[in-house]
Amino acid sequence: MAPLRISFLIRSVYDLLPSNANLVRWGKKDDPTCPLCQGRQTTEHVLSSCKVALSQGRYTWRHNRVLQELASVISTAKGEIHPSSTSSTVFTTEGGVKMARRVDPNKHP
Ligand SMILES: [Zn+2]
């Protein structure tokens, strides 16, 4: 597993990701509010319990992207070419600006 993925995994388990609640706790921000639903934005909230993200299908999209990456890695390992290996991922910044980036399933961003 790529080092950044391991780091994300460990920081998510120990609630050390920069959620708004943690940024307030660390004195980096004054407001722990989720910009989507106005609830308290904890790590758990971001990863699995924001009602607005759920209603917009964001968790389903993330779930499907993980499955696409797994399928691509498996296809590559089998010597096949998977359609998603040539696709790009569109990321949306907090301000709503969309940025496309090619995804190489064998490399971490
Ligand atoms: Zn929320």
Side-chain angles (χ1 to χ4, degrees):
M1 189 181 285
L4 288 176
R5 288 183 182 165
I6 293 171
S7 172
F8 178 84
L9 177 64
I10 291 171
R11 290 185 303 146
S12 67
V13 167
Y14 291 103
D15 192 19
L16 296 173
L17 292 173
S19 65
N20 284 344
N22 279 343
L23 291 173
V24 168
R25 187 165 54 115
W26 300 331
K28 304 283 186 186
K29 195 170 185 177
D30 294 328
D31 183 10
T33 303
C34 171
L36 295 176
C37 71
Q38 312 310 314
R40 188 167 183 267
Q41 190 198 56
T42 61
T43 298
E44 178 187 356
H45 182 87
V46 171
L47 295 178
S48 64
S49 65
C50 178
K51 292 176 181 171
V52 173
L54 181 61
S55 70
Q56 292 177 343
R58 293 177 183 220
Y59 298 130
T60 301
W61 179 87
R62 184 176 64 200
H63 173 268
N64 291 344
R65 285 297 302 155
V66 169
L67 292 180
Q68 284 178 339
E69 291 298 319
L70 289 172
S72 179
V73 169
I74 291 169
S75 293
T76 300
K78 291 174 64 178
E80 303 169 355
I81 297 175
H82 190 271
S84 73
S85 65
T86 58
S87 67
S88 63
T89 300
V90 176
F91 294 92
T92 303
T93 66
E94 186 173 304
V97 177
K98 293 186 177 184
M99 303 176 348
R101 192 181 76 203
R102 288 185 64 82
V103 174
D104 182 345
N106 298 315
K107 295 182 180 177
H108 188 274

